[in-house]
Amino acid sequence: MTTQTVEYIRYRIPEARSAEFLAAYTRASRHLAASPHCVGYELDRCEEDFENFILRIVWTSTEDHLEGFRESELFAGFVAEIRPYVGGIDEMRHYKPTTVRGPGSAEPTLYEWAGAGEAFDRLTSVFYDKVVKDDLLGPLFAELPAEHAARVALWLGEVFGGPSAYTERHGGHSHMVAMHVGKAITEPQRRRWVNLIQDAADEAGLPTDAEFRSAFSAYIEWGTRLAVSFSGPDASRPAEQPVPRWNWGSAPPFRPRPAR
């Protein structure tokens, strides 16, 4: 489990002082942002009771917060800005995340947006038809099993938010990585792989919107570079770990609001 910790600081600030409180935290946040131990922060205000605020800070670890940030000059600058409001603190504690977590349904998964399993079946079918005929990639896949395209479709489906079919049938992330050990994949081969799967995505009719293709391309870049790394002469099979789950990242799906 991650060593990151979440600090919650709950304030009760009279509404008459809320504007100056927010201004003080705007200044103080520069010290948080500059800390190598701060992963991120957010100050929220209660909708039902405007006098209640919650500051949420994610630290690399509790130790890094207490012995790193608090022992630094940044902490002194931070406290100088928010000192007038320390008396309004109702709670200040560290929390560790639990295993209870998951996405909601407000946004579709990339898997759903792409067209679910059928879309990834089309993608890998078109893609491997290209691969076996390619001068650079053909030799790598000379003994391609008949079920390989379907297996990769399951992998991509799971990565992009679909069912855990690859994990259940074939194993987790380390199983996929192990398929590349000893292959000595070159950078030109990696780039050709990227180009061909992008072409295959067009031909297979995957969504062409900027948001989906941005997320799709980000995974393809990450995954192929990892494959090259694990195909090198000194690479070994990694420890078992879950299949990575890709999401929309910084650009969620664009869905026009209905006219009112």
Side-chain angles (χ1 to χ4, degrees):
M1 184 174 290
T2 178
T3 60
Q4 290 183 357
T5 189
V6 183
E7 180 187 20
Y8 287 99
I9 307 177
R10 303 176 189 273
Y11 286 91
R12 188 164 187 84
I13 304 296
E15 191 166 354
R17 301 186 67 195
S18 62
E20 63 184 60
F21 173 73
L22 289 169
Y25 254 104
T26 298
R27 297 189 300 271
S29 66
R30 295 196 297 267
H31 302 286
L32 292 176
S35 172
H37 307 299
C38 178
V39 178
Y41 59 88
E42 180 178 319
L43 179 62
D44 297 317
R45 187 175 193 175
C46 180
E47 289 188 346
E48 291 78 21
D49 184 348
F50 282 179
E51 293 190 347
N52 284 321
F53 293 83
I54 298 178
L55 176 66
R56 181 181 186 272
I57 310 175
V58 181
W59 299 102
T60 48
S61 70
T62 302
E63 182 181 14
D64 286 344
H65 172 216
L66 298 179
E67 299 180 11
F69 178 71
R70 287 200 177 183
E71 297 296 326
S72 71
E73 293 181 359
L74 291 171
F75 180 65
F78 174 79
V79 170
E81 297 290 358
I82 58 95
R83 191 184 304 278
Y85 311 99
V86 169
I89 294 177
D90 289 336
E91 178 191 10
M92 183 167 59
R93 294 178 180 174
H94 296 95
Y95 289 79
K96 282 285 189 184
T98 71
T99 57
V100 181
R101 61 174 62 190
S105 298
E107 292 178 355
T109 63
L110 292 164
Y111 174 81
E112 293 166 336
W113 191 263
E118 291 184 2
F120 290 100
D121 284 336
R122 292 196 309 273
L123 171 67
T124 56
S125 177
V126 172
F127 173 63
Y128 282 105
D129 279 347
K130 294 177 178 293
V131 164
V132 296
K133 301 171 186 175
D134 187 78
D135 59 335
L136 273 179
L137 297 181
L140 277 178
F141 296 91
E143 300 178 3
L144 193 67
E147 70 277 8
H148 186 78
R151 186 179 299 175
V152 174
L154 292 179
W155 167 265
L156 292 174
E158 186 169 341
V159 165
F160 289 117
S164 302
Y166 184 91
T167 295
E168 293 168 1
R169 300 180 195 180
H170 306 295
H173 188 231
S174 63
H175 180 271
M176 173 58 81
V177 169
M179 299 297 100
H180 301 86
V181 172
K183 297 292 186 182
I185 301 170
T186 66
E187 176 58 17
Q189 287 173 323
R190 185 198 73 82
R191 286 179 176 268
R192 182 68 58 83
W193 202 100
V194 170
N195 291 339
L196 289 185
I197 202 166
Q198 297 285 12
D199 291 343
D202 292 338
E203 294 179 30
L206 265 64
T208 58
D209 57 279
E211 294 81 7
F212 175 81
R213 286 304 179 96
S214 174
F216 180 79
S217 298
Y219 169 72
I220 296 302
E221 278 291 327
W222 179 84
T224 55
R225 290 177 186 277
L226 200 66
V228 170
S229 175
F230 278 105
S231 75
D234 299 323
S236 58
R237 181 169 177 157
E240 187 58 51
Q241 53 186 306
V243 170
R245 290 284 185 160
W246 226 251
N247 56 35
W248 292 94
S250 299
F254 175 71
R255 291 180 289 186
R257 293 181 180 275
R260 293 184 178 180

